[in-house]
Amino acid sequence: MMEAAEQPLLKYCNYCREYKPLTGFQRRTGRKAGPLSRRGACLDCRRRKQKAGQASPDTQQGEKGAVKAAAKPPVVGNDAARVHGKRTARTLPVHHERRQLPSKDNKPQLDPTDPKALHPNRNGMIRLRGKTDKGRRWHQEIDPELAATLVKERMAVVVNRSTIRRLYTNREFRRYIMTRDKYTCYFCGKYGDTLDHLLPRAKGGHTTPVNCVCACNDCNQSKADRDADEFIRERARD
């Protein structure tokens, strides 16, 4: 009986499915080269394939692997970094579907002329924004009562719950009042080219279309800081 050290080394052939001596297989080359590394097909199977005019079994196996690799879709983007175990500098962008936001039609629409829609911000103020005569944008924070008055008297409109927008610049507002009143003094009916407040600013009046009228220079100077009704009554007495 042969000792274990004298027994020949056997290898299983992947094609004839038989165990044959290791010397009956072709040596491997390259990275897989070694004293005991052999190819999967035995020499008999290789000769049989060559006589039949076909490629060797290992070549067929390599071609099958190439076909499978070509059938797989290319790995791009973050998936390529995940497969290779590291993130490369050049990775193709991966396009994700955008999350659909709720439609604006479902949101309640604010009435731009309704001051009840206003709600103060964290500071308890309302943001007022507008433009200068040269078109430069500006903004400031005002009291909610003043904001409601500007909206009510048609000087501003509601943009959102905590913001209103002034409708006129200073130059546009003056032109609007003069055109509306046809350059006629509100008190005497003569030609007027100045702007006057029915309720003086000193008593809480504001520069709005409701509180401003066209006036001549004489009536504007005579009225001073009196109310419009009071000034008209005094003119009637005289």
Side-chain angles (χ1 to χ4, degrees):
M1 186 174 180
M2 297 179 61
E3 296 181 0
E6 298 178 357
Q7 292 181 358
L9 297 177
L10 301 178
K11 178 177 174 57
Y12 180 77
C13 178
N14 295 334
Y15 294 89
C16 62
R17 298 184 180 181
E18 296 179 0
Y19 284 94
K20 295 183 179 182
L22 193 63
T23 56
F25 293 84
Q26 187 177 1
R27 285 179 174 271
R28 287 186 178 274
T29 58
R31 293 183 179 180
K32 296 184 178 180
L36 301 179
S37 60
R38 306 286 174 154
R39 296 189 178 274
C42 65
L43 295 177
D44 296 336
C45 293
R46 287 177 176 276
R47 296 190 192 101
R48 195 178 304 114
K49 292 292 183 180
Q50 290 176 358
K51 288 181 181 179
Q54 299 179 2
S56 62
D58 291 337
T59 306
Q60 290 181 348
Q61 186 176 6
E63 292 176 354
K64 291 180 180 178
V67 172
K68 290 182 179 179
K72 293 182 180 180
V75 182
V76 296
N78 297 331
D79 295 336
R82 193 179 303 112
V83 170
H84 297 294
K86 61 181 180 180
R87 184 176 295 275
T88 58
R90 290 184 177 181
T91 55
L92 297 178
V94 179
H95 299 284
H96 301 281
E97 294 184 0
R98 290 186 176 181
R99 182 172 59 89
Q100 190 163 359
L101 298 176
S103 175
K104 293 183 179 181
D105 298 337
N106 299 332
K107 295 183 180 180
Q109 297 293 333
L110 295 177
D111 185 2
T113 60
D114 185 13
K116 296 180 180 179
L118 295 174
H119 182 74
N121 56 20
R122 295 180 179 179
N123 299 328
M125 307 291 283
I126 298 295
R127 181 186 178 95
L128 170 64
R129 69 187 192 191
K131 290 183 180 180
T132 63
D133 292 334
K134 295 183 178 181
R136 186 175 181 179
R137 298 177 183 272
W138 58 267
H139 64 85
Q140 67 182 36
E141 290 188 343
I142 60 177
D143 295 331
E145 295 181 3
L146 176 57
T149 301
L150 295 179
V151 174
K152 189 183 302 181
E153 297 185 4
R154 301 191 297 277
M155 188 60 182
V157 292
V158 179
V159 177
N160 54 50
R161 297 187 63 188
S162 59
T163 306
I164 62 175
R165 177 175 59 86
R166 185 174 174 178
L167 293 176
Y168 311 97
T169 63
N170 293 337
R171 186 181 302 169
E172 291 173 349
F173 181 72
R174 185 180 185 281
R175 187 185 304 117
Y176 167 72
I177 296 298
M178 297 301 153
T179 305
R180 184 195 65 181
D181 295 348
K182 300 179 180 179
Y183 290 87
T184 303
C185 179
Y186 177 81
F187 304 103
C188 65
K190 297 180 181 179
Y191 174 80
D193 57 355
T194 63
L195 196 68
D196 193 19
H197 296 76
L198 297 178
L199 178 63
R201 298 173 63 183
K203 296 183 179 181
H206 301 288
T207 306
T208 62
V210 175
N211 192 46
C212 292
V213 293
C214 176
C216 63
N217 189 35
D218 294 339
C219 292
N220 198 345
Q221 295 294 331
S222 301
K223 177 177 175 292
D225 59 348
R226 289 177 290 182
D227 296 344
D229 296 338
E230 181 182 354
F231 176 68
I232 293 174
R233 285 195 300 266
E234 289 182 0
R235 282 179 59 89
R237 291 174 188 173
D238 297 341

